[in-house]
Amino acid sequence: MSTSDKFSELRKKAEDILKLFNHVDTVANNTDLAKLLHELDTYRIELELQNEELQLTNAELNSLQDELEEEISVHFRHYDIAPVGYVTIDVYKNILEVNQTLAGKLGLNKDALVGRPFTSLIFADDQDNFYFFCNKVIKDKKTDTCELRLYTKTISPFWVKLDCAPEHHNKGMRIHMAISDISNLKALEQDLTLSASVLDECGEMIIVTDPDYNIIKVNKAFVHTTGFSKAETLGKNYSILQSGKHNEQFYQEMWTSLKINKNWQGEIWNKRKNGEIYPAWISLTTISNPDGSPAYFISVSSDITQRKKDAEHIHFMAYYDPLTGLPNRILLQDRLKQALVQAHRNRQHGAVFILDIDHFKVINDSLGHLIGDELLQEVAKRLSDCIREEDTISRLGGDEFVVLLADLGEDKKNAISHASSVAEKIIHTISEPIVTQENKLQITVSIGIVMFPDDTDQIIDLMKLADNAMYKVKQSGRNNYKFVTPSLQKEADERLSVQHGLHDALKRNHFELYYQPQINFITQAVSGAEALIRWQKPNSGVVYPDDFITISEESGLIVPIGTWVLEEACRQISSWNTHKKQPISFISVNMSVRQFQQKNFISEMQRIMLNHNHPASAA
């Protein structure tokens, strides 16, 4: 019953009482009654006034209640659409209230969440963290925060921040939580951690400076390489690394290029803390402000000391002989090309020597390769002492060396005289005793000399002619030198022609065996034969061994020619023994020393003889 209804009922009862006393006479004759009626009437008026006030108050209360309900409604609407999730749990971690923001984030209905344990939404790895956190909040009775991951069957784990506040309630302790999604912050934090880790663990040195080139950050590689600690570096100017090998203009151009082009890279010499100077390959990059002005400069560099050493080693291995340290054939050819160009341009004469050590193979075989190597190194050293700094000595291989003398002047006679003097100096210097370990050796050299560009201006001819001149020295007794002459050149051409012809004769089967019979004087029967090789040249007729055997031995062709002779002789004796009544017991074949030096000489002989059904024991 409302307040106004109660007042109406009271008023009605009061009026009923007054009706009992409606006779005027009765009232007039009774003073006490009149007094009572007056008081009742006064009280009635007071009640009416109070009733009016109560009705006004009641109307105000109704209005306030409507406003409160509207505010509560607005609050809950705001609560539901707040940018963060809200949830209230009891001490048992059960959800008492939850807003639509969190429910939507979890992909669930609000009603399905109420009464559910909040821990069922927490990622397994974070359960213990939440358990201890809640206990701490309840115990300390203070607001606190923590970070953990929420998930559902349909939603992958995502990071949230919990801002929790405990509240004492008549139904027990409650914890109100504001839940903010911090997945992006966590990803950013992870990226920043990764970037910082990459920066610090990067094998290359990284330096970050401000626009005035003052260092604000360095990584571990920088500390390790330069020897400067971070504390010694931060706040210092980038110039602390300057080595002094570059002038001020170099650095000005570098920084100007960096400001204009936003980057610069190149090789630079820097200085470590201990003063050691080292080469570095550096890349500089500008990080700009929104207005385009430089905000930071980033330097990424690496110590290329080892790289340069490796490059030098590779270059050395490519262009130099590892045993003697002299230029090899590749570098020699390059210098020969340059010398020929300069000779034509400046009308200068030059000379090329080819020399080798007389009887070196005997020394190498008898004393061993280690002694042989020491001997070659000493010869290389002595040769270097015999020439000018601008001249070149090269080792082609084995005991063969080349000397290149360039810029010997315009007068050929003087050039030849200078070359002769160098050759005589080499012969004298090399002939001085050489002590290797416990051996005292005395060696000689044979030298062939060709002058350029008069004798030839082709590299291949330079080497060939000088080699032929050296060959003539060997033939005439060694320990001397000889210049290329027209007759030597003609002879060399003939020798080369014979060598090429021998190659062709092997391919086209232009060799032929003649057999000189050997007769038993007692029986007068042919007991054997001697095989004699002839070269049947298509356009020149028969060529006898004296004209090609020596060249075939020098060129190494004697080995395949000798194999052909053996094959043909065995084939012939097998054929004769098959068709003649009286067999021939043997055929004599002349063998070269080069053939006996083959490792597979015996097995090759056996193969050939067995291939033609000739007993291998006959060998």
Side-chain angles (χ1 to χ4, degrees), residues 54 80 114 197 255 269 275 281-282 303 316 404 412 421 463 513 565 595 610:
L54 286 173
D80 262 346
V114 175
S197 177
W255 292 116
W269 289 90
W281 181 262
I282 182 173
D303 183 346
F316 179 83
L404 168 61
K412 186 175 180 180
S421 297
M463 305 298 289
L513 289 186
V565 171
Q595 289 177 273
L610 291 173

Side-chain angles (χ1 to χ4, degrees), residues 38-48 50:
H38 176 74
E39 289 178 356
L40 287 172
D41 193 41
T42 301
Y43 184 65
R44 177 181 62 80
I45 293 170
E46 288 177 355
L47 287 175
E48 287 178 353
Q50 289 179 0

Side-chain angles (χ1 to χ4, degrees), residues 352-372:
V352 172
F353 297 6
I354 285 188
L355 62 92
D356 71 3
I357 302 170
D358 298 328
H359 304 297
F360 176 74
K361 188 175 186 304
V362 176
I363 297 172
N364 214 30
D365 291 345
S366 60
L367 299 179
H369 292 288
L370 291 178
I371 300 296

Side-chain angles (χ1 to χ4, degrees), residues 328-445:
N328 63 10
R329 187 185 299 271
I330 296 174
L331 184 54
L332 172 65
Q333 288 181 342
D334 182 65
R335 293 188 179 178
L336 281 172
K337 288 178 184 177
Q338 294 180 33
L340 286 169
V341 171
Q342 292 293 331
H344 283 290
R345 181 180 299 164
N346 302 326
R347 297 181 181 179
Q348 293 280 321
H349 291 280
V352 172
F353 297 6
I354 285 188
L355 62 92
D356 71 3
I357 302 170
D358 298 328
H359 304 297
F360 176 74
K361 188 175 186 304
V362 176
I363 297 172
N364 214 30
D365 291 345
S366 60
L367 299 179
H369 292 288
L370 291 178
I371 300 296
D373 287 347
E374 287 186 32
L375 178 62
L376 291 172
Q377 290 170 337
E378 179 60 25
V379 168
K381 180 179 178 299
R382 294 189 180 189
L383 286 173
S384 298
D385 294 337
C386 292
I387 63 170
R388 302 169 300 178
E389 186 176 346
E390 61 266 28
D391 296 328
T392 297
I393 296 177
S394 170
R395 179 182 176 229
L396 298 185
D399 63 326
E400 192 172 38
F401 295 84
V402 174
V403 177
L404 168 61
L405 306 177
D407 298 330
L408 297 182
E410 296 184 15
D411 187 271
K412 186 175 180 180
K413 289 184 179 180
N414 290 336
I416 292 174
S417 176
H418 182 92
S420 299
S421 297
V422 174
E424 290 171 0
K425 184 178 181 181
I426 289 174
I427 290 172
H428 173 74
T429 303
I430 297 298
S431 65
E432 293 290 329
I434 297 174
V435 178
T436 58
Q437 297 182 18
E438 297 179 355
N439 302 286
K440 186 177 182 180
L441 305 174
Q442 193 155 9
I443 62 173
T444 59
V445 292

Side-chain angles (χ1 to χ4, degrees), residues 11-38:
R11 180 171 183 172
K12 184 175 180 302
K13 288 181 178 180
E15 288 175 347
D16 290 341
I17 294 172
L18 288 174
K19 286 179 181 179
L20 296 175
F21 304 100
N22 55 3
H23 296 64
V24 179
D25 295 337
T26 305
V27 173
N29 296 325
N30 192 334
T31 305
D32 293 334
L33 182 58
K35 184 177 179 182
L36 177 62
L37 287 174
H38 176 74

